[in-house]
Amino acid sequence: MTEAKAGIGILGAGWVGLVTGACFADLGHDVVIRDVVPGKIDALRAGRVPIHEEGLPELLARNRDRLSFTLDAREVATNADLLFVCVGTPPTYSGDADLSAVWTVLDELPAETQATLVMKSTVPVGTGDKVRAALEARGLGHVAYVSNPEFLAEGSAIRDFMRPDRVVVGAFAEADGLALAALYDGLETEVVLTDVHSAEMIKLASNAFLATRISFINEIANVCEVTGADVEEVARGMGLDRRIGPHFLRAGIGYGGSCFPKDVSALKQLAGNSGYHFQLLNSVIEVNELQKRRVVGKLKKHLGHLAGKRIALLGLAYKAGTDDLREAASIVLAARLLAEGAEVTAWDPVASPRDELRGAALCATPLEAVTGADAAVIVTEWDELRDLAREDVRSAMRNPLLVDGRNLLDPLAVRAAGFAYEGVGRPTSPFSALPETEEPEPRVRG
Ligand code: UDX
């Protein structure tokens, strides 16, 4: 760790900003977090955490003395040694990254700013050049700029920060990069010190590659369904190959969240805008959209038309461990089912949708959601659903059909408990897809 702790300013008290700020405070730095939303700052000052992230409330509480929250950009910019830009870069209608929050941050920097500007937000390649030009145009040419993308996954963000696989630092001047890299000295990890363009691309390419793995294994799962292989076995066998590795090979209902869909489309657009047609990413996106909708086909296989049928969606968040509904399969599914005339009930232990699931009836427990249902769909892999194949659930349902979008349950156990079961890429029974073999006729010699 550095001898004298740097003063850190965080611009944006969203999920990345809060986790980053709390972790730097835990490493001993004084951190000021700034946001434009007064309600958020009030809540944080009062010790309330506006997002669901495991361990974050405790981390913020433990480091209260080193953390402060403000609405004042000037205060942060003039007092900090390092200013981390942690604002959202959501997709526009075209799929490009919307950088308006980044430009607003730059506009608000006072002329006295001496801090190094560090970009944590995910931005297109070339953004660093544009920021530098904008800083110069505003008379802030002396402000150093470093790209330091985040690789935090929701639900494990604090661990990801404290024990990263790597830290990526892209700088225009090596000294600026080394100064930022020193901030991570206390963490045992490799620092990739590189140029700004490459750092920006490492972030986009990493997320696009992981999304590609998911779409790939989802397509393998779909082929498993028509050929009789079990994708869980296939992924296990593939993952043991060290060149492939076991991670991000879980077939399911498609990827969601605030990063993968946005970053894949941002990379595709970035390539397109630069004159290169990124064919593979088109397919990754299309496969993911189709994967969310395959559940509807599975329901229809068992129920015929869905008008008047009651379907329970179990789990709404885009993955377990978060209350985030961004790009969650549950939203696409609910809209599709309601459009087909189905009645939709929904349950999630933490996500509380407002407009996203309009028309669905929210329930307090999985049992309440499945009561009277013609099918239950596991959308999110919550632990609370692992024992779903219970007798009280079966008898509460009008029709005991479980469609498991996450391969959370054991197909044999579920069927043994009297449910019909549809997973992702799993055969009806271990050997069901093998053709029925007749007893071979004894060979007659002679
Ligand atoms: C991701 C990246 O992991 C993180 O490094 C990045 O900076 C932000 O985006 P996050 O979106 O929080 O993090 O979640 P992650 O655990 O990566 O999962 C993303 C989506 O892929 C989820 O919907 C998840 O359910 C799905 N997924 C993941 C699969 O369907 N199969 C897998 O094998 C892994």
Side-chain angles (χ1 to χ4, degrees), residues 15 19 23 52-54 151-163 318-322:
W15 179 80
V19 170
C23 288
H52 179 90
E53 179 62 40
E54 201 180 310
F151 298 95
L152 310 173
E154 293 191 24
S156 60
I158 292 166
R159 191 191 60 211
D160 294 344
F161 186 100
M162 294 297 190
R163 287 193 280 133
Y318 76 91
K319 67 172 190 179
T322 175

Side-chain angles (χ1 to χ4, degrees), residues 298-311:
K298 288 176 180 169
L299 289 167
K300 284 183 172 171
K301 181 176 130 190
H302 288 262
L303 303 175
H305 64 80
L306 298 178
K309 301 279 164 48
R310 183 183 293 191
I311 314 294

Side-chain angles (χ1 to χ4, degrees), residues 13 108 132 175 257 302 338 343 390 439:
E108 288 173 346
R132 203 157 61 147
H302 288 262
L338 290 165
E343 208 182 306
R390 303 187 313 258
E439 273 296 296

Side-chain angles (χ1 to χ4, degrees), residues 163-243:
R163 287 193 280 133
D165 288 348
R166 80 306 207 184
V167 166
V168 174
V169 175
F172 291 113
E174 198 183 9
D176 297 335
L178 288 169
L180 183 72
L183 207 60
Y184 295 95
D185 275 355
L187 310 178
E188 272 169 35
T189 188
E190 180 147 348
V191 176
V192 180
L193 188 56
T194 183
D195 61 281
V196 173
H197 286 196
S198 302
E200 292 166 341
M201 183 59 101
I202 288 170
K203 169 65 196 249
L204 290 173
S206 299
N207 276 359
F209 183 74
L210 293 170
T212 302
R213 277 177 74 109
I214 298 172
S215 278
F216 179 84
I217 200 68
N218 280 338
E219 286 224 281
I220 292 291
N222 300 342
V223 179
C224 284
E225 286 177 11
V226 290
T227 54
D230 183 335
V231 74
E232 296 292 314
E233 294 299 300
V234 175
R236 187 162 66 94
M238 285 171 65
L240 287 169
D241 185 325
R242 267 177 293 190
R243 294 167 303 175

Side-chain angles (χ1 to χ4, degrees), residues 153-154 203 214 248-250 255-256 259-260 318-319 406:
E154 293 191 24
K203 169 65 196 249
I214 298 172
F248 280 72
L249 285 180
R250 285 193 325 272
Y255 59 79
C259 289
F260 284 1
Y318 76 91
K319 67 172 190 179
R406 299 289 189 162

Side-chain angles (χ1 to χ4, degrees), residues 1 9 13 57-58 79 101 120 122 128 146 199 207 230 242 270 303 308 349 364 376 381 403-404 432 441:
M1 248 178 271
E58 296 79 0
N79 292 327
K120 272 268 171 228
T122 304
V146 182
N207 276 359
D230 183 335
R242 267 177 293 190
L270 173 73
L303 303 175
E381 67 282 23
V403 178
D404 184 354
S432 66
E441 289 289 326

